[in-house]
Amino acid sequence: MRKADLLMEKGEYFFTNGFSIFVNKVKERFELPEHVHDFYEICYVVEGSGFHYVEEETIRVSRGDLFFLPIGVSHIFRPASADPNKALVISNCIFDERLFQFLTSILPDQFGMYRFREQLLQRDNWLHMRERSGEFGLVFASLFEEFQQKRTGYETMLCGLLLQLFIQMERALESAEAPVYNRMETILRVVRERLGDKMTLADVSDAVNLGVRQLQRMIAEQLGCSFSELLLSERINLSCRLLEDAANSRRSIADIAAAVGMQDVKRFYRVFKEKTGMTPGAYRVGRGSENFVGFP
């Protein structure tokens, strides 16, 4: 799906009384669509596991992962399971560009924020990092509490906590421990280009010029899953996109199953429902409303 066709989340849906910070905590669901924002967003994985699709990358996530998403970056979280007892819980802090520019320019370069600003010179340069000892989780817990309770001075407190979170991210960049997934780009591209075909680990291994065991190890280390789990996740995510796309509204479920490499329609129905909690037909109907607004 083209980025221009994705749902656009607007800050005006969430910001009130002229204050441009919004904080929430949500259980991710399969029916939420891939989308872009006209605001900045920081997402923190509170509990559970799943996948985060950011632009053209797929990242396995679990508690402690944090993402900084600038304006216009497309993304969606998908839980690893539709089981409510295995929920993927995400805490989000969103804020507008004006506030971001203000908070990141308060201090001179020698006081901090240098690397963070350098990383974000390009509008679409999103960041992924992982906490070392719960430091991101502590700040997010305070952000959520302040936003919910709205005690005297909470607006100023939220700005201070957001600046604290920026500094924690600066420290993570300084330590050079933020995960880098560039090595996976070629592997993921090959997998996505061949989703409609029968595909084995050996096929991908040959295409990327890596040994089978080395490829298995790389996927396990960087995505935290097996090749078969990755392949199934990519196929279900692509089928979700095809079902969401109005251009495919007259396309049969069987055609969409075949397009993602699952010729057995019964198996496609079963796997889709296991992963999303609903049938492909119900998913298509649920996504049919042009007025649907989901966050994040």
Side-chain angles (χ1 to χ4, degrees):
M1 186 184 300
R2 297 180 307 163
K3 186 176 288 190
D5 296 328
L6 295 177
L7 176 69
M8 168 63 77
E9 294 281 8
K10 296 186 177 182
E12 63 190 54
Y13 299 151
F14 310 104
F15 303 142
T16 59
N17 300 321
F19 185 58
S20 56
I21 296 180
F22 178 90
V23 185
N24 76 345
K25 188 184 298 183
V26 296
K27 291 183 179 179
E28 294 296 339
R29 309 188 308 276
F30 277 93
E31 61 264 33
L32 294 179
E34 183 179 358
H35 54 272
V36 295
H37 312 126
D38 70 352
F39 48 77
Y40 288 83
E41 178 178 11
I42 302 178
C43 313
Y44 172 75
V45 182
V46 178
E47 63 179 87
S49 63
F51 293 89
H52 192 191
Y53 299 89
V54 188
E55 295 289 316
E56 298 301 320
E57 293 199 38
T58 302
I59 302 169
R60 181 83 181 206
V61 298
S62 59
R63 181 176 180 175
D65 281 306
L66 180 139
F67 295 85
F68 182 95
L69 304 172
I71 294 169
V73 170
S74 64
H75 82 117
I76 187 65
F77 283 97
R78 304 282 192 204
S81 169
D83 185 344
N85 296 317
K86 299 179 180 179
L88 175 62
V89 181
I90 307 295
S91 193
N92 307 281
C93 178
I94 72 173
F95 43 94
D96 69 11
E97 186 170 19
R98 178 185 57 82
L99 181 63
F100 174 70
Q101 296 297 340
F102 172 71
L103 290 178
T104 55
S105 62
I106 290 176
L107 301 175
D109 287 348
Q110 63 266 32
F111 290 171
M113 308 302 292
Y114 175 76
R115 292 177 182 82
F116 188 73
R117 284 200 294 252
E118 285 292 311
Q119 288 283 329
L120 299 171
L121 286 177
Q122 299 178 8
R123 288 176 65 91
D124 61 350
N125 191 13
W126 57 275
L127 301 175
H128 171 209
M129 53 192 68
R130 188 168 176 84
E131 64 187 2
R132 301 180 64 185
S133 55
E135 63 274 13
F136 297 147
L138 290 174
V139 180
F140 258 97
S142 297
L143 279 165
F144 186 71
E145 180 181 359
E146 284 291 335
F147 188 82
Q148 291 295 309
Q149 296 186 1
K150 292 182 170 56
R151 294 175 292 184
T152 301
Y154 82 95
E155 298 97 337
T156 303
M157 183 67 80
L158 285 172
C159 289
L161 288 167
L162 186 53
L163 182 58
Q164 181 180 340
L165 185 57
F166 289 161
I167 294 172
Q168 293 285 12
M169 294 167 67
E170 175 80 12
R171 291 176 177 176
L173 292 173
E174 184 179 31
S175 67
E177 292 184 2
V180 178
Y181 290 86
N182 291 338
R183 297 174 64 190
M184 290 298 300
E185 290 181 0
T186 301
I187 296 170
L188 291 172
R189 176 178 54 78
V190 168
V191 168
R192 287 168 180 156
E193 288 176 350
R194 303 184 180 188
L195 283 178
D197 305 325
K198 290 183 179 180
M199 191 185 334
T200 66
L201 183 64
D203 293 332
V204 179
S205 173
D206 290 340
V208 299
N209 197 27
L210 284 174
V212 171
R213 291 185 179 180
Q214 185 181 3
L215 178 59
Q216 284 179 314
R217 184 168 58 252
M218 186 178 298
I219 292 173
E221 289 176 354
Q222 297 201 19
L223 298 182
C225 63
S226 67
F227 172 74
S228 60
E229 290 171 333
L230 170 63
L231 187 58
L232 187 59
S233 176
E234 289 290 338
R235 282 176 165 155
I236 295 301
N237 187 61
L238 176 57
S239 66
C240 287
R241 293 187 182 190
L242 293 176
L243 290 166
E244 292 167 6
D245 190 352
N248 290 289
S249 60
R250 296 186 179 181
R251 198 171 183 179
S252 71
I253 301 298
D255 285 344
I256 288 178
V260 301
M262 300 182 72
Q263 304 295 333
D264 186 337
V265 179
K266 289 184 178 180
R267 179 173 180 268
F268 174 68
Y269 268 84
R270 177 175 56 79
V271 173
F272 191 95
K273 188 169 184 179
E274 286 176 356
K275 287 290 185 180
T276 69
M278 64 188 74
T279 65
Y283 185 92
R284 169 178 273 169
V285 171
R287 290 293 308 117
S289 172
E290 294 181 358
N291 297 319
F292 177 85
V293 175
F295 177 80

